[in-house]
């Protein structure tokens, strides 16, 4: 007995997880899986899991409206409750994409609004939305619509807002920030105040809509749950009664100090007791005391649209130690950022936008440089998001950010060209250190000036960006070889935007072929040809290529190598699509496809 060799265990049949778990249990499990990537992985296990994922998926984000067909989305996910849809490239936000480029909401609303019987939340971003589109949505979903977000959209008027206000009585969120809306009267807000009692969030910030303060007061009386209001310009002294009524309000942005210097006019402005997110428009030095009584409570402060000096920023921020989010212009200067580093130890998000380009003002107030960013990196170690326009930068500050800000998931830096000389270029070693140490980064943007990053630096970005899914690069690299070295390392990159680079069409095509996860690329400003034929080298099944030729004048100017000069009007957009070629290309966009 002791010498016998035991018979090998028979593993011919293994009871799999899928064999004994009933559909009801899988439905429950899938209901707790929210990450889209986890959902996608689960749906690939087998046909049964694919079917259950389809029936239990409650939210879908379509990252580019031409990447899928509305009918296919409806068939795949018949029980969707929430849909987010993105349209024009991000460049549209900076005037680089014309209004008539495309991204029309009509096909999606016509195809989905009525059949998706569970749909109660719709978010459209950078799309053309007409009054007829909104009317169709309201007819089909108005009785149960809870969220309508139109983010940086164009094409509609207050007539459709009035229809939404009358018909969508379950609406909890109405978001219109930075939309171009034709104003045909403020009755829409009055209708909203009369017909809605459950509104939580109302945002028409950075629009030109005119409203009556009495309608806002009525809204606050009827909607006891109103937590967030971001509005267009309205004298703050006219909102006193609204603030007294909106006891639940926690987030306010907009209004305006129309009479800067007249503090007595605003002495009676008292914000609601729960307010902790604040952004005020046209505030000057004399109006700052309005903030002071509750500065300790503030978790978010937006000072982008104020008339404050560097010293004013220092004074206010020193009184706000509990800030989680700070948004300013670069007038804050290095001195202001030093106060941020000393005071705001809990800060999670820092946004420093471009301010006045007047050289005299910049000399007086100072800009943002490596000094201020270093102070923030050392002092605010919980930072998750940094976006900054800087006048000067060094490798050392990027290394400091990599050393101290381990929680960063989004980093964006723009180097302005107003200074004749920058202290420390190229930024190869600093970018390398930042990417090696900030392993949680998912989004990365670096817009420099010529000479800001060599081919070696570009290679480092590819080598150490394994987890990054979105990237914007401008004025980087020296040659096509650098771009190819970059692309070889970008195994997980899904979306890439390039501006003002020296690369050829052939190199762009070869780079795309090296990035296996890439789903979308937009390029403006490169060594463009008249026909874009070399872009066909990236052609493959389901891959759409759209080429906007450079203006003819650019071909009269050649580089020393005999190549056309970089032309800012030449653009390439290429993306995966299950919908085939789009049918609404404007005449000046040329779809490219193999013969």
């Amino acid at each position: 007995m002791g010498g016998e060799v035991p018979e090998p265990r028979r593993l011919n049949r293994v009871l799999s997880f899928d064999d004994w778990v009933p559909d009801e249990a899988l439905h429950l499990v899938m209901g707790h899986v929210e990450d889209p990537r986890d959902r996608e992985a689960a749906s690939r296990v087998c046909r049964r899991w694919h079917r259950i994922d389809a029936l239990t998926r409650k939210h879908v984000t379509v990252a580019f409206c031409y990447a899928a067909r509305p009918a296919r989305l409806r068939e795949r996910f018949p029980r969707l409750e929430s849909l987010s849809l993105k349209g024009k490239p991000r460049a549209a936000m900076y005037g680089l994409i014309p209004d008539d480029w495309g991204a029309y909401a009509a096909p999606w609303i016509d195809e989905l609004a009525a059949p998706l019987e569970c749909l109660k939340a719709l978010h459209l971003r950078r799309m053309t939305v007409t009054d007829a589109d909104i009317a169709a949505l309201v007819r089909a979903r108005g009785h149960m619509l809870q969220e309508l977000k139109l983010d940086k959209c164009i094409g509609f008027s207050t007539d459709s807002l009035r229809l939404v206000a009358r018909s969508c009585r379950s609406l909890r969120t109405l978001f219109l920030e930075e939309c171009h809306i034709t104003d045909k009267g403020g009755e829409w807000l009055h209708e909203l105040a009369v017909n809605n009692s459950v509104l939580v969030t109302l945002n028409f910030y950075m629009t030109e809509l005119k409203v009556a303060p009495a309608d806002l007061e009525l809204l606050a009386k009827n909607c006891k749950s109103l937590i967030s209001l971001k509005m267009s310009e309205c004298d703050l002294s006219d909102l006193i009664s609204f603030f007294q009524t909106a006891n639940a309000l926690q987030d306010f942005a907009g209004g305006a100090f129309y009479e800067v210097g007249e503090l007595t006019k605003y002495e009676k402005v008292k914000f609601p007791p729960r307010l902790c997110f604040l952004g005020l428009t046209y505030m000057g030095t004399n109006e700052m005391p309005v903030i002071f009584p509750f500065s300790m409570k503030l978790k978010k402060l937006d000072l982008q649209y104020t008339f404050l000096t560097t010293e004013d920023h220092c004074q206010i921020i020193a009184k706000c130690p509990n800030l989680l989010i700070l948004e300013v212009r670069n007038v804050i200067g290095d001195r202001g950022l030093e106060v941020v580093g000393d005071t705001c130890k809990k800060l999670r998000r820092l946004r420093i936008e471009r301010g006045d380009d007047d050289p005299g003002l910049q000399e007086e107030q100072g800009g943002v440089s490596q000094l201020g960013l270093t102070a923030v990196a050392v002092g605010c170690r919980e930072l998750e998001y940094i976006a900054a326009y800087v006048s000067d930068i060094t490798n050392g500050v990027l290394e400091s950010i990599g050393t101290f800000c381990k929680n960063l998931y989004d980093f964006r830096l723009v180097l302005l060209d107003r200074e004749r000389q920058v202290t420390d270029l190229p930024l190869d070693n600093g970018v390398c250190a930042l990417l090696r140490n900030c392993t949680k980064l998912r989004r990365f943007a670096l817009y420099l000036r010529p000479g800001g990053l060599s081919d070696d630096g570009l290679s480092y970005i590819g080598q150490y960006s394994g987890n990054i899914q979105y990237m914007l690069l401008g004025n980087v690299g020296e040659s096509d070889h650098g771009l190819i070295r970059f692309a070889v390392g970008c195994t997980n990159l899904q979306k890439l935007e390039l501006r003002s680079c020296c690369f050829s069409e052939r190199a762009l095509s070869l780079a795309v072929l090296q990035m296996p996860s890439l789903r979308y690329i937009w390029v403006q400003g490169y060594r463009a040809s008249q026909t874009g034929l070399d872009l066909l080298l990236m052609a493959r099944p389901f891959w759409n290529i759209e080429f906007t030729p450079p203006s003819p004048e650019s071909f009269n100017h050649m580089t020393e190598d005999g190549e056309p000069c970089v032309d800012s009007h030449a653009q390439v957009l290429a993306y995966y699509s299950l919908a085939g070629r789009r049918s609404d290309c404007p005449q000046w966009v040329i779809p490219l496809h193999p013969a």
Side-chain angles (χ1 to χ4, degrees), residues 89-99 101 447 499 522 524 548 568-569 571 588:
R90 288 180 68 259
M93 295 159 52
Y94 306 100
L96 301 176
I97 305 291
D99 286 347
W101 177 86
Y447 198 102
R499 284 196 68 196
W522 176 83
Q524 184 207 44
T548 303
S568 61
H569 298 290
Q571 296 186 22
W588 39 268

Side-chain angles (χ1 to χ4, degrees), residues 282-308:
Y282 305 152
M283 181 173 64
T285 302
N286 291 332
E287 291 75 45
M288 291 194 306
V290 171
I291 295 180
F292 294 160
F294 64 102
S295 56
M296 291 289 291
K297 296 181 180 180
L298 286 180
K299 296 180 180 179
K300 177 182 177 180
L301 184 59
D302 182 353
L303 302 176
Q304 293 180 83
Y305 305 105
T306 64
F307 297 135
L308 301 179

Side-chain angles (χ1 to χ4, degrees), residues 5-172:
V5 178
E7 184 179 352
R9 296 179 63 185
R10 297 184 181 275
L11 300 176
N12 292 337
R13 184 178 184 278
V14 177
L15 185 64
S16 71
F17 178 79
D18 195 46
D19 287 331
W20 56 270
V21 177
D23 279 5
E24 292 80 3
L26 275 179
H27 274 268
L28 290 173
V29 171
M30 285 287 195
H32 292 283
V33 179
E34 297 182 354
D35 189 289
R37 291 169 296 179
D38 294 339
R39 277 275 186 172
E40 183 180 0
S43 70
R44 292 179 177 179
V45 171
C46 61
R47 290 183 179 179
R48 181 181 176 220
W49 285 36
H50 186 275
R51 175 175 54 82
I52 292 176
D53 169 52
L55 295 175
T56 58
R57 187 83 69 110
K58 294 183 179 181
H59 174 78
V60 164
T61 295
V62 179
F64 186 51
C65 63
Y66 291 111
R69 292 183 297 109
R72 173 59 183 147
L73 184 74
R74 183 197 69 224
E75 295 164 2
R76 176 76 173 89
F77 304 112
R79 298 181 184 175
L80 275 186
E81 297 181 5
S82 172
L83 173 64
S84 294
L85 188 62
K86 298 181 181 179
K88 297 173 187 174
R90 288 180 68 259
M93 295 159 52
Y94 306 100
L96 301 176
I97 305 291
D99 286 347
D100 60 349
W101 177 86
Y104 301 104
W108 292 87
I109 292 176
D110 292 345
E111 186 74 39
L112 300 177
L116 292 181
E117 297 179 352
C118 299
L119 190 68
K120 54 188 176 184
L122 181 63
H123 179 187
L124 304 179
R125 181 173 173 86
R126 296 192 298 269
M127 299 192 72
T128 298
V129 186
T130 66
D131 285 347
D133 298 332
I134 296 177
L137 176 66
V138 169
R139 283 195 302 270
R141 302 257 57 83
H143 62 291
M144 62 183 298
L145 195 65
Q146 294 182 7
E147 291 187 12
L148 178 59
K149 295 184 179 181
L150 304 178
D151 185 1
K152 300 176 179 65
C153 292
I154 63 173
F156 62 100
S157 74
T158 52
D159 284 348
S160 56
L161 297 184
R162 187 163 58 248
L163 179 62
V164 168
R166 287 176 179 172
S167 306
C168 305
R169 303 197 174 200
S170 299
L171 200 65
R172 298 178 180 273

